[in-house]
Every structure is written in structure tokens, then in C-alpha cells.
Amino acid sequence: MDSPADTPMDSATTDRTASGRPVDARDRDDEGRARNARPRDGLGRPLPYGTDGVPRQPEGVVREPEETVAEAQRLLDEGKPFHAHEVFEDAWKSGPGEERELWRGMAQLAVGLTHAARGNVTGGARLLRRGAGAVTDWAGSEAGRERPYGMDLGGVAAWARALAGEVEGGASVDAGARAPRLRG
């Protein structure tokens, strides 16, 4: 019989504590990068290991812009703005350089809605306004940018600014019920 030192560790069982947390306290992906593998709820909050969570969005997916908008809208409508933010982040990182600020602003809007729905008044309002400013600035920087991929950036920015004011006024936010209409 092999000694414990000679037996390879089964990463699914022996290198995790009873709670399911990795012994080395760092979840890693196949390339060794730190990745938190804890399940998450619909607003992206970490849940205890072993709990059923909402399926995560895969990272690094390259989509056509129209697919990005459609997938993000679906997630927003389902009350999953954190997950929509990840879709926008993929577009931000993989899209053409001239669109980086557009997608970054859209990601900020989704994160702002996430924070507002979690009850983070200050962070939610700040990110909603920052995202609104980013998409407004991007749209105004060149003629013809007001409706990229069918998105109504003016309407989305107005939605974000109005919601920021409501959040600061003490309104609670149901993320699905308050999801923006990206295409107006």
C-alpha cells in the first residue's frame, strides 16, 4: 500500500475542507489563475460552498455585438444584472478599441443595478451615474453613435440617472422589475 505522501490528492475531495473551501484558500482555474469557485446568487453574491447557486456566465466569450445586447437584456430581465455585467465585460475586452468605452459604460450600468438591488445605495447610485456618463460621452463623441446595435443610449442613460435618484431617496430595487430596455 502506498503511503499518504505517495498517493496523489484527489482535488475534488482531499484538498478541500469540510465546508468545501480549498485547503490553500484559493480556487484556481485550469491555467492556475485564481478564480473564486463559490456558487453565486442571481445578484452575484457568493454563497457557501456546496450550496446550489445560479449558473455563472462563462468568461471570455466573444459574441457579435447584437448577441451581446440580446444576452445582456435576457439576463437583466431575469433579475441577473451581475451576470449581464459579465457579458458586457466580455464585449469590452474583446471588441474593437473604439467601442471599449461603450461596453465599459454598459458594464458599469449593470453593476450599478446590481449594487442598488443589493441595497448598496452609495455604490449603486455612483455606478449608475458613472455608466450613464460613459455611454452619453461615447454616443456624443461622434455623429451616428446614439443607437449602436439598436441600443437607445439616451434612454438607457436617462433610466440610470432616474434610478440613481430613486435609490438615493430610499427606494428598494427589484433588479428584474427595474431592468432597463436596452433597445428602447
Side-chain angles (χ1 to χ4, degrees):
M1 181 168 171
D2 294 328
S3 71
D6 296 332
T7 306
M9 293 185 102
D10 175 4
S11 64
T13 57
T14 56
D15 63 348
R16 293 198 175 264
T17 65
S19 71
R21 183 180 177 88
V23 170
D24 71 358
R26 301 279 300 207
D27 294 319
R28 304 246 176 224
D29 66 12
D30 293 339
E31 287 83 38
R33 291 184 303 248
R35 296 279 190 233
N36 189 325
R38 284 175 63 182
R40 299 208 176 242
D41 70 6
L43 292 174
R45 293 175 290 219
L47 299 169
Y49 285 102
T51 303
D52 287 335
V54 171
R56 296 177 97 157
Q57 284 299 113
E59 291 183 42
V61 176
V62 177
R63 298 173 183 87
E64 290 298 318
E66 292 81 3
E67 293 173 298
T68 294
V69 175
E71 179 67 5
Q73 185 68 70
R74 180 186 69 78
L75 291 164
L76 289 164
D77 291 344
E78 290 177 4
K80 299 175 186 171
F82 177 81
H83 303 279
H85 130 268
E86 291 177 333
V87 170
F88 286 132
E89 192 171 273
D90 285 341
W92 164 17
K93 292 178 179 179
S94 68
E98 64 271 8
E99 292 182 1
R100 287 181 58 85
E101 291 305 307
L102 165 66
W103 299 118
R104 185 174 68 88
M106 295 302 292
Q108 289 172 332
L109 291 169
V111 172
L113 178 56
T114 300
H115 282 282
R118 289 178 180 176
N120 177 353
V121 172
T122 303
R126 184 174 294 141
L127 282 163
L128 286 164
R129 286 193 178 100
R130 186 178 303 155
V135 299
T136 300
D137 289 350
W138 185 86
S141 67
E142 250 179 68
R145 286 186 159 184
E146 299 82 23
R147 295 192 63 86
Y149 311 110
M151 288 189 293
D152 177 7
L153 296 184
V156 170
W159 161 85
R161 289 185 179 108
L163 184 58
E166 291 175 33
V167 168
E168 288 175 326
S172 62
V173 175
D174 175 324
R178 295 307 307 270
R181 306 298 336 137
L182 301 179
R183 290 189 166 131

